[in-house]
PDB file of all heavy atoms in Angstrom:
ATOM      1  N   ARG A  14       0.843  -1.216   0.000  1.00 98.00           N
ATOM      2  CA  ARG A  14       0.000   0.000   0.000  1.00 98.00           C
ATOM      3  C   ARG A  14       0.867   1.250   0.000  1.00 98.00           C
ATOM      4  O   ARG A  14       0.575   2.223  -0.698  1.00 98.00           O
ATOM      5  CB  ARG A  14      -0.929   0.002   1.218  1.00 98.00           C
ATOM      6  CG  ARG A  14      -2.165  -0.852   1.037  1.00 98.00           C
ATOM      7  CD  ARG A  14      -3.192  -0.624   2.140  1.00 98.00           C
ATOM      8  NE  ARG A  14      -2.675  -0.847   3.479  1.00 98.00           N
ATOM      9  CZ  ARG A  14      -2.636  -2.013   4.106  1.00 98.00           C
ATOM     10  NH1 ARG A  14      -3.101  -3.092   3.503  1.00 98.00           N
ATOM     11  NH2 ARG A  14      -2.145  -2.125   5.323  1.00 98.00           N
ATOM     12  N   ALA A  15       1.938   1.244   0.806  1.00 98.00           N
ATOM     13  CA  ALA A  15       2.821   2.422   0.887  1.00 98.00           C
ATOM     14  C   ALA A  15       3.506   2.712  -0.441  1.00 98.00           C
ATOM     15  O   ALA A  15       3.762   3.871  -0.776  1.00 98.00           O
ATOM     16  CB  ALA A  15       3.857   2.234   1.993  1.00 98.00           C
ATOM     17  N   VAL A  16       3.805   1.674  -1.214  1.00 98.00           N
ATOM     18  CA  VAL A  16       4.385   1.880  -2.544  1.00 98.00           C
ATOM     19  C   VAL A  16       3.325   2.431  -3.493  1.00 98.00           C
ATOM     20  O   VAL A  16       3.555   3.423  -4.196  1.00 98.00           O
ATOM     21  CB  VAL A  16       4.975   0.563  -3.102  1.00 98.00           C
ATOM     22  CG1 VAL A  16       5.303   0.683  -4.589  1.00 98.00           C
ATOM     23  CG2 VAL A  16       6.217   0.170  -2.316  1.00 98.00           C
ATOM     24  N   MET A  17       2.162   1.822  -3.497  1.00 98.00           N
ATOM     25  CA  MET A  17       1.135   2.182  -4.475  1.00 98.00           C
ATOM     26  C   MET A  17       0.490   3.536  -4.222  1.00 98.00           C
ATOM     27  O   MET A  17       0.047   4.187  -5.166  1.00 98.00           O
ATOM     28  CB  MET A  17       0.060   1.093  -4.534  1.00 98.00           C
ATOM     29  CG  MET A  17       0.576  -0.244  -5.043  1.00 98.00           C
ATOM     30  SD  MET A  17       1.304  -0.167  -6.698  1.00 98.00           S
ATOM     31  CE  MET A  17      -0.157   0.127  -7.686  1.00 98.00           C
ATOM     32  N   ASP A  18       0.412   3.980  -2.964  1.00 98.00           N
ATOM     33  CA  ASP A  18      -0.262   5.261  -2.691  1.00 98.00           C
ATOM     34  C   ASP A  18       0.718   6.425  -2.530  1.00 98.00           C
ATOM     35  O   ASP A  18       0.368   7.459  -1.996  1.00 98.00           O
ATOM     36  CB  ASP A  18      -1.206   5.156  -1.492  1.00 98.00           C
ATOM     37  CG  ASP A  18      -0.521   4.969  -0.154  1.00 98.00           C
ATOM     38  OD1 ASP A  18       0.719   5.137  -0.051  1.00 98.00           O
ATOM     39  OD2 ASP A  18      -1.230   4.652   0.814  1.00 98.00           O
ATOM     40  N   TRP A  19       1.938   6.254  -2.977  1.00 97.00           N
ATOM     41  CA  TRP A  19       2.955   7.307  -3.037  1.00 97.00           C
ATOM     42  C   TRP A  19       3.582   7.645  -1.685  1.00 97.00           C
ATOM     43  O   TRP A  19       4.465   8.493  -1.627  1.00 97.00           O
ATOM     44  CB  TRP A  19       2.410   8.603  -3.684  1.00 97.00           C
ATOM     45  CG  TRP A  19       1.740   8.375  -5.002  1.00 97.00           C
ATOM     46  CD1 TRP A  19       0.409   8.465  -5.261  1.00 97.00           C
ATOM     47  CD2 TRP A  19       2.357   7.993  -6.238  1.00 97.00           C
ATOM     48  NE1 TRP A  19       0.154   8.175  -6.575  1.00 97.00           N
ATOM     49  CE2 TRP A  19       1.339   7.878  -7.198  1.00 97.00           C
ATOM     50  CE3 TRP A  19       3.681   7.737  -6.617  1.00 97.00           C
ATOM     51  CZ2 TRP A  19       1.578   7.523  -8.511  1.00 97.00           C
ATOM     52  CZ3 TRP A  19       3.921   7.384  -7.927  1.00 97.00           C
ATOM     53  CH2 TRP A  19       2.879   7.285  -8.859  1.00 97.00           C
ATOM     54  N   ARG A  20       3.170   6.986  -0.578  1.00 97.00           N
ATOM     55  CA  ARG A  20       3.762   7.304   0.727  1.00 97.00           C
ATOM     56  C   ARG A  20       5.259   7.026   0.758  1.00 97.00           C
ATOM     57  O   ARG A  20       6.008   7.766   1.378  1.00 97.00           O
ATOM     58  CB  ARG A  20       3.076   6.525   1.852  1.00 97.00           C
ATOM     59  CG  ARG A  20       1.796   7.170   2.326  1.00 97.00           C
ATOM     60  CD  ARG A  20       1.179   6.383   3.448  1.00 97.00           C
ATOM     61  NE  ARG A  20       0.735   5.094   2.929  1.00 97.00           N
ATOM     62  CZ  ARG A  20       0.631   3.987   3.646  1.00 97.00           C
ATOM     63  NH1 ARG A  20       0.935   3.981   4.925  1.00 97.00           N
ATOM     64  NH2 ARG A  20       0.205   2.866   3.095  1.00 97.00           N
ATOM     65  N   MET A  21       5.693   5.945   0.121  1.00 97.00           N
ATOM     66  CA  MET A  21       7.117   5.636   0.098  1.00 97.00           C
ATOM     67  C   MET A  21       7.895   6.785  -0.529  1.00 97.00           C
ATOM     68  O   MET A  21       8.890   7.252   0.024  1.00 97.00           O
ATOM     69  CB  MET A  21       7.402   4.346  -0.677  1.00 97.00           C
ATOM     70  CG  MET A  21       8.887   4.041  -0.825  1.00 97.00           C
ATOM     71  SD  MET A  21       9.231   2.724  -2.003  1.00 97.00           S
ATOM     72  CE  MET A  21       8.862   3.534  -3.560  1.00 97.00           C
ATOM     73  N   HIS A  22       7.444   7.255  -1.673  1.00 96.00           N
ATOM     74  CA  HIS A  22       8.142   8.346  -2.354  1.00 96.00           C
ATOM     75  C   HIS A  22       8.193   9.596  -1.481  1.00 96.00           C
ATOM     76  O   HIS A  22       9.237  10.225  -1.342  1.00 96.00           O
ATOM     77  CB  HIS A  22       7.465   8.663  -3.688  1.00 96.00           C
ATOM     78  CG  HIS A  22       7.814   7.713  -4.772  1.00 96.00           C
ATOM     79  ND1 HIS A  22       7.289   6.438  -4.852  1.00 96.00           N
ATOM     80  CD2 HIS A  22       8.644   7.839  -5.829  1.00 96.00           C
ATOM     81  CE1 HIS A  22       7.781   5.838  -5.907  1.00 96.00           C
ATOM     82  NE2 HIS A  22       8.607   6.660  -6.529  1.00 96.00           N
ATOM     83  N   ARG A  23       7.054   9.936  -0.898  1.00 95.00           N
ATOM     84  CA  ARG A  23       7.016  11.132  -0.049  1.00 95.00           C
ATOM     85  C   ARG A  23       7.920  10.976   1.168  1.00 95.00           C
ATOM     86  O   ARG A  23       8.570  11.930   1.590  1.00 95.00           O
ATOM     87  CB  ARG A  23       5.583  11.435   0.354  1.00 95.00           C
ATOM     88  CG  ARG A  23       4.751  11.949  -0.817  1.00 95.00           C
ATOM     89  CD  ARG A  23       3.321  12.292  -0.412  1.00 95.00           C
ATOM     90  NE  ARG A  23       2.619  12.907  -1.521  1.00 95.00           N
ATOM     91  CZ  ARG A  23       1.625  12.319  -2.186  1.00 95.00           C
ATOM     92  NH1 ARG A  23       1.192  11.115  -1.846  1.00 95.00           N
ATOM     93  NH2 ARG A  23       1.057  12.955  -3.195  1.00 95.00           N
ATOM     94  N   ALA A  24       7.970   9.776   1.724  1.00 96.00           N
ATOM     95  CA  ALA A  24       8.786   9.532   2.919  1.00 96.00           C
ATOM     96  C   ALA A  24      10.283   9.641   2.639  1.00 96.00           C
ATOM     97  O   ALA A  24      11.055   9.920   3.554  1.00 96.00           O
ATOM     98  CB  ALA A  24       8.462   8.167   3.522  1.00 96.00           C
ATOM     99  N   VAL A  25      10.697   9.419   1.392  1.00 93.00           N
ATOM    100  CA  VAL A  25      12.118   9.565   1.080  1.00 93.00           C
ATOM    101  C   VAL A  25      12.477  11.008   0.770  1.00 93.00           C
ATOM    102  O   VAL A  25      13.624  11.317   0.487  1.00 93.00           O
ATOM    103  CB  VAL A  25      12.603   8.631  -0.060  1.00 93.00           C
ATOM    104  CG1 VAL A  25      12.448   7.184   0.307  1.00 93.00           C
ATOM    105  CG2 VAL A  25      11.944   8.939  -1.373  1.00 93.00           C
ATOM    106  N   GLY A  26      11.472  11.892   0.826  1.00 90.00           N
ATOM    107  CA  GLY A  26      11.753  13.312   0.677  1.00 90.00           C
ATOM    108  C   GLY A  26      11.520  13.911  -0.685  1.00 90.00           C
ATOM    109  O   GLY A  26      11.987  15.007  -0.959  1.00 90.00           O
ATOM    110  N   VAL A  27      10.796  13.205  -1.540  1.00 91.00           N
ATOM    111  CA  VAL A  27      10.472  13.797  -2.834  1.00 91.00           C
ATOM    112  C   VAL A  27       9.019  14.259  -2.821  1.00 91.00           C
ATOM    113  O   VAL A  27       8.172  13.685  -2.133  1.00 91.00           O
ATOM    114  CB  VAL A  27      10.711  12.830  -4.024  1.00 91.00           C
ATOM    115  CG1 VAL A  27      12.160  12.417  -4.110  1.00 91.00           C
ATOM    116  CG2 VAL A  27       9.820  11.630  -3.952  1.00 91.00           C
ATOM    117  N   ALA A  28       8.757  15.323  -3.544  1.00 93.00           N
ATOM    118  CA  ALA A  28       7.390  15.801  -3.702  1.00 93.00           C
ATOM    119  C   ALA A  28       6.734  15.001  -4.818  1.00 93.00           C
ATOM    120  O   ALA A  28       7.368  14.706  -5.836  1.00 93.00           O
ATOM    121  CB  ALA A  28       7.389  17.287  -4.042  1.00 93.00           C
ATOM    122  N   ILE A  29       5.501  14.633  -4.609  1.00 95.00           N
ATOM    123  CA  ILE A  29       4.749  13.892  -5.620  1.00 95.00           C
ATOM    124  C   ILE A  29       3.489  14.672  -5.943  1.00 95.00           C
ATOM    125  O   ILE A  29       2.719  15.026  -5.049  1.00 95.00           O
ATOM    126  CB  ILE A  29       4.360  12.484  -5.106  1.00 95.00           C
ATOM    127  CG1 ILE A  29       5.591  11.615  -4.901  1.00 95.00           C
ATOM    128  CG2 ILE A  29       3.355  11.818  -6.031  1.00 95.00           C
ATOM    129  CD1 ILE A  29       6.272  11.170  -6.173  1.00 95.00           C
ATOM    130  N   ARG A  30       3.290  14.930  -7.213  1.00 95.00           N
ATOM    131  CA  ARG A  30       2.029  15.496  -7.684  1.00 95.00           C
ATOM    132  C   ARG A  30       1.464  14.478  -8.664  1.00 95.00           C
ATOM    133  O   ARG A  30       1.925  14.365  -9.801  1.00 95.00           O
ATOM    134  CB  ARG A  30       2.238  16.850  -8.352  1.00 95.00           C
ATOM    135  CG  ARG A  30       0.905  17.584  -8.539  1.00 95.00           C
ATOM    136  CD  ARG A  30       1.078  18.995  -9.049  1.00 95.00           C
ATOM    137  NE  ARG A  30       1.468  18.938 -10.446  1.00 95.00           N
ATOM    138  CZ  ARG A  30       2.457  19.635 -10.981  1.00 95.00           C
ATOM    139  NH1 ARG A  30       3.201  20.431 -10.251  1.00 95.00           N
ATOM    140  NH2 ARG A  30       2.740  19.533 -12.265  1.00 95.00           N
ATOM    141  N   ALA A  31       0.504  13.697  -8.172  1.00 95.00           N
ATOM    142  CA  ALA A  31      -0.051  12.600  -8.962  1.00 95.00           C
ATOM    143  C   ALA A  31      -1.492  12.885  -9.341  1.00 95.00           C
ATOM    144  O   ALA A  31      -2.231  13.516  -8.582  1.00 95.00           O
ATOM    145  CB  ALA A  31       0.032  11.299  -8.166  1.00 95.00           C
ATOM    146  N   ALA A  32      -1.891  12.381 -10.502  1.00 89.00           N
ATOM    147  CA  ALA A  32      -3.257  12.551 -10.980  1.00 89.00           C
ATOM    148  C   ALA A  32      -4.233  11.709 -10.165  1.00 89.00           C
ATOM    149  O   ALA A  32      -5.414  12.012 -10.116  1.00 89.00           O
ATOM    150  CB  ALA A  32      -3.343  12.171 -12.455  1.00 89.00           C
ATOM    151  N   ASP A  33      -3.751  10.661  -9.525  1.00 96.00           N
ATOM    152  CA  ASP A  33      -4.590   9.737  -8.767  1.00 96.00           C
ATOM    153  C   ASP A  33      -3.947   9.441  -7.418  1.00 96.00           C
ATOM    154  O   ASP A  33      -2.724   9.515  -7.281  1.00 96.00           O
ATOM    155  CB  ASP A  33      -4.759   8.428  -9.542  1.00 96.00           C
ATOM    156  CG  ASP A  33      -5.491   8.647 -10.858  1.00 96.00           C
ATOM    157  OD1 ASP A  33      -6.684   8.983 -10.814  1.00 96.00           O
ATOM    158  OD2 ASP A  33      -4.859   8.483 -11.921  1.00 96.00           O
ATOM    159  N   PRO A  34      -4.754   9.061  -6.416  1.00 97.00           N
ATOM    160  CA  PRO A  34      -4.195   8.764  -5.095  1.00 97.00           C
ATOM    161  C   PRO A  34      -3.357   7.484  -5.057  1.00 97.00           C
ATOM    162  O   PRO A  34      -2.589   7.278  -4.125  1.00 97.00           O
ATOM    163  CB  PRO A  34      -5.420   8.657  -4.192  1.00 97.00           C
ATOM    164  CG  PRO A  34      -6.573   8.410  -5.101  1.00 97.00           C
ATOM    165  CD  PRO A  34      -6.211   9.012  -6.426  1.00 97.00           C
ATOM    166  N   VAL A  35      -3.494   6.641  -6.054  1.00 97.00           N
ATOM    167  CA  VAL A  35      -2.658   5.441  -6.174  1.00 97.00           C
ATOM    168  C   VAL A  35      -2.106   5.382  -7.596  1.00 97.00           C
ATOM    169  O   VAL A  35      -2.686   5.958  -8.525  1.00 97.00           O
ATOM    170  CB  VAL A  35      -3.426   4.135  -5.851  1.00 97.00           C
ATOM    171  CG1 VAL A  35      -3.899   4.123  -4.401  1.00 97.00           C
ATOM    172  CG2 VAL A  35      -4.582   3.929  -6.792  1.00 97.00           C
ATOM    173  N   ALA A  36      -0.995   4.691  -7.761  1.00 98.00           N
ATOM    174  CA  ALA A  36      -0.388   4.545  -9.082  1.00 98.00           C
ATOM    175  C   ALA A  36      -1.384   3.863 -10.019  1.00 98.00           C
ATOM    176  O   ALA A  36      -1.877   2.772  -9.715  1.00 98.00           O
ATOM    177  CB  ALA A  36       0.902   3.734  -8.978  1.00 98.00           C
ATOM    178  N   THR A  37      -1.672   4.520 -11.140  1.00 97.00           N
ATOM    179  CA  THR A  37      -2.671   4.045 -12.091  1.00 97.00           C
ATOM    180  C   THR A  37      -2.099   4.143 -13.503  1.00 97.00           C
ATOM    181  O   THR A  37      -1.657   5.222 -13.915  1.00 97.00           O
ATOM    182  CB  THR A  37      -3.954   4.909 -11.995  1.00 97.00           C
ATOM    183  OG1 THR A  37      -4.419   4.884 -10.644  1.00 97.00           O
ATOM    184  CG2 THR A  37      -5.036   4.415 -12.926  1.00 97.00           C
ATOM    185  N   PRO A  38      -2.083   3.030 -14.239  1.00 96.00           N
ATOM    186  CA  PRO A  38      -1.516   3.056 -15.592  1.00 96.00           C
ATOM    187  C   PRO A  38      -2.137   4.146 -16.472  1.00 96.00           C
ATOM    188  O   PRO A  38      -3.348   4.383 -16.441  1.00 96.00           O
ATOM    189  CB  PRO A  38      -1.832   1.667 -16.144  1.00 96.00           C
ATOM    190  CG  PRO A  38      -1.943   0.808 -14.932  1.00 96.00           C
ATOM    191  CD  PRO A  38      -2.576   1.695 -13.885  1.00 96.00           C
ATOM    192  N   GLY A  39      -1.251   4.804 -17.218  1.00 95.00           N
ATOM    193  CA  GLY A  39      -1.677   5.838 -18.147  1.00 95.00           C
ATOM    194  C   GLY A  39      -1.851   7.207 -17.523  1.00 95.00           C
ATOM    195  O   GLY A  39      -2.182   8.163 -18.220  1.00 95.00           O
ATOM    196  N   ARG A  40      -1.612   7.318 -16.234  1.00 95.00           N
ATOM    197  CA  ARG A  40      -1.833   8.572 -15.526  1.00 95.00           C
ATOM    198  C   ARG A  40      -0.508   9.243 -15.192  1.00 95.00           C
ATOM    199  O   ARG A  40       0.470   8.585 -14.850  1.00 95.00           O
ATOM    200  CB  ARG A  40      -2.632   8.314 -14.252  1.00 95.00           C
ATOM    201  CG  ARG A  40      -3.978   7.668 -14.531  1.00 95.00           C
ATOM    202  CD  ARG A  40      -4.917   8.540 -15.312  1.00 95.00           C
ATOM    203  NE  ARG A  40      -5.378   9.569 -14.380  1.00 95.00           N
ATOM    204  CZ  ARG A  40      -5.912  10.715 -14.715  1.00 95.00           C
ATOM    205  NH1 ARG A  40      -6.063  11.026 -15.977  1.00 95.00           N
ATOM    206  NH2 ARG A  40      -6.297  11.575 -13.804  1.00 95.00           N
ATOM    207  N   PRO A  41      -0.483  10.578 -15.255  1.00 95.00           N
ATOM    208  CA  PRO A  41       0.766  11.306 -15.005  1.00 95.00           C
ATOM    209  C   PRO A  41       1.085  11.455 -13.519  1.00 95.00           C
ATOM    210  O   PRO A  41       0.200  11.425 -12.661  1.00 95.00           O
ATOM    211  CB  PRO A  41       0.493  12.674 -15.632  1.00 95.00           C
ATOM    212  CG  PRO A  41      -0.988  12.836 -15.539  1.00 95.00           C
ATOM    213  CD  PRO A  41      -1.563  11.451 -15.688  1.00 95.00           C
ATOM    214  N   VAL A  42       2.364  11.621 -13.262  1.00 96.00           N
ATOM    215  CA  VAL A  42       2.872  11.951 -11.935  1.00 96.00           C
ATOM    216  C   VAL A  42       4.108  12.813 -12.139  1.00 96.00           C
ATOM    217  O   VAL A  42       4.896  12.560 -13.054  1.00 96.00           O
ATOM    218  CB  VAL A  42       3.188  10.684 -11.103  1.00 96.00           C
ATOM    219  CG1 VAL A  42       4.217   9.808 -11.771  1.00 96.00           C
ATOM    220  CG2 VAL A  42       3.640  11.038  -9.702  1.00 96.00           C
ATOM    221  N   VAL A  43       4.250  13.837 -11.326  1.00 94.00           N
ATOM    222  CA  VAL A  43       5.443  14.674 -11.383  1.00 94.00           C
ATOM    223  C   VAL A  43       6.200  14.479 -10.081  1.00 94.00           C
ATOM    224  O   VAL A  43       5.656  14.683  -9.000  1.00 94.00           O
ATOM    225  CB  VAL A  43       5.105  16.165 -11.596  1.00 94.00           C
ATOM    226  CG1 VAL A  43       6.384  17.010 -11.591  1.00 94.00           C
ATOM    227  CG2 VAL A  43       4.351  16.356 -12.903  1.00 94.00           C
ATOM    228  N   VAL A  44       7.441  14.054 -10.213  1.00 92.00           N
ATOM    229  CA  VAL A  44       8.318  13.848  -9.062  1.00 92.00           C
ATOM    230  C   VAL A  44       9.153  15.112  -8.906  1.00 92.00           C
ATOM    231  O   VAL A  44       9.737  15.602  -9.878  1.00 92.00           O
ATOM    232  CB  VAL A  44       9.228  12.617  -9.296  1.00 92.00           C
ATOM    233  CG1 VAL A  44      10.171  12.413  -8.129  1.00 92.00           C
ATOM    234  CG2 VAL A  44       8.381  11.371  -9.552  1.00 92.00           C
ATOM    235  N   GLY A  45       9.179  15.647  -7.706  1.00 90.00           N
ATOM    236  CA  GLY A  45       9.945  16.859  -7.440  1.00 90.00           C
ATOM    237  C   GLY A  45      11.111  16.570  -6.508  1.00 90.00           C
ATOM    238  O   GLY A  45      10.917  16.048  -5.416  1.00 90.00           O
ATOM    239  N   LEU A  46      12.305  16.891  -6.961  1.00 79.00           N
ATOM    240  CA  LEU A  46      13.520  16.673  -6.168  1.00 79.00           C
ATOM    241  C   LEU A  46      14.115  18.020  -5.794  1.00 79.00           C
ATOM    242  O   LEU A  46      14.199  18.911  -6.633  1.00 79.00           O
ATOM    243  CB  LEU A  46      14.540  15.860  -6.974  1.00 79.00           C
ATOM    244  CG  LEU A  46      14.048  14.524  -7.511  1.00 79.00           C
ATOM    245  CD1 LEU A  46      15.026  13.971  -8.526  1.00 79.00           C
ATOM    246  CD2 LEU A  46      13.833  13.554  -6.386  1.00 79.00           C
ATOM    247  N   GLY A  47      14.539  18.169  -4.562  1.00 74.00           N
ATOM    248  CA  GLY A  47      15.109  19.432  -4.119  1.00 74.00           C
ATOM    249  C   GLY A  47      14.044  20.298  -3.477  1.00 74.00           C
ATOM    250  O   GLY A  47      12.942  19.841  -3.182  1.00 74.00           O
ATOM    251  N   ALA A  48      14.385  21.561  -3.264  1.00 72.00           N
ATOM    252  CA  ALA A  48      13.455  22.455  -2.574  1.00 72.00           C
ATOM    253  C   ALA A  48      13.430  23.827  -3.227  1.00 72.00           C
ATOM    254  O   ALA A  48      14.393  24.252  -3.866  1.00 72.00           O
ATOM    255  CB  ALA A  48      13.863  22.584  -1.107  1.00 72.00           C
ATOM    256  N   GLY A  49      12.307  24.500  -3.040  1.00 74.00           N
ATOM    257  CA  GLY A  49      12.162  25.874  -3.491  1.00 74.00           C
ATOM    258  C   GLY A  49      12.441  26.054  -4.966  1.00 74.00           C
ATOM    259  O   GLY A  49      12.091  25.209  -5.787  1.00 74.00           O
ATOM    260  N   PRO A  50      13.137  27.162  -5.298  1.00 75.00           N
ATOM    261  CA  PRO A  50      13.392  27.449  -6.710  1.00 75.00           C
ATOM    262  C   PRO A  50      14.377  26.456  -7.346  1.00 75.00           C
ATOM    263  O   PRO A  50      14.487  26.390  -8.562  1.00 75.00           O
ATOM    264  CB  PRO A  50      13.967  28.864  -6.703  1.00 75.00           C
ATOM    265  CG  PRO A  50      14.492  29.068  -5.327  1.00 75.00           C
ATOM    266  CD  PRO A  50      13.642  28.220  -4.421  1.00 75.00           C
ATOM    267  N   LEU A  51      15.070  25.678  -6.509  1.00 74.00           N
ATOM    268  CA  LEU A  51      15.999  24.681  -7.044  1.00 74.00           C
ATOM    269  C   LEU A  51      15.340  23.321  -7.259  1.00 74.00           C
ATOM    270  O   LEU A  51      16.005  22.378  -7.656  1.00 74.00           O
ATOM    271  CB  LEU A  51      17.192  24.525  -6.092  1.00 74.00           C
ATOM    272  CG  LEU A  51      18.033  25.787  -5.889  1.00 74.00           C
ATOM    273  CD1 LEU A  51      19.152  25.508  -4.899  1.00 74.00           C
ATOM    274  CD2 LEU A  51      18.578  26.292  -7.203  1.00 74.00           C
TER     275      LEU A  51
END
């Protein structure tokens, strides 16, 4: 569940902007690394 609902990614310190609350084929997700303007 933690892998599929993006909690794992968020817990490692990356920002996740996903189209769905769980990983869904064909749907976009933007992974954000770093902070602020960087």
Side-chain angles (χ1 to χ4, degrees):
R14 279 191 304 273
V16 168
M17 295 302 290
D18 69 12
W19 309 109
R20 278 181 293 153
M21 175 192 72
H22 281 76
R23 289 182 174 111
V25 298
V27 299
I29 294 289
R30 194 173 73 227
D33 296 293
V35 297
T37 304
R40 301 295 286 161
V42 59
V43 178
V44 178
L46 304 168
L51 298 178

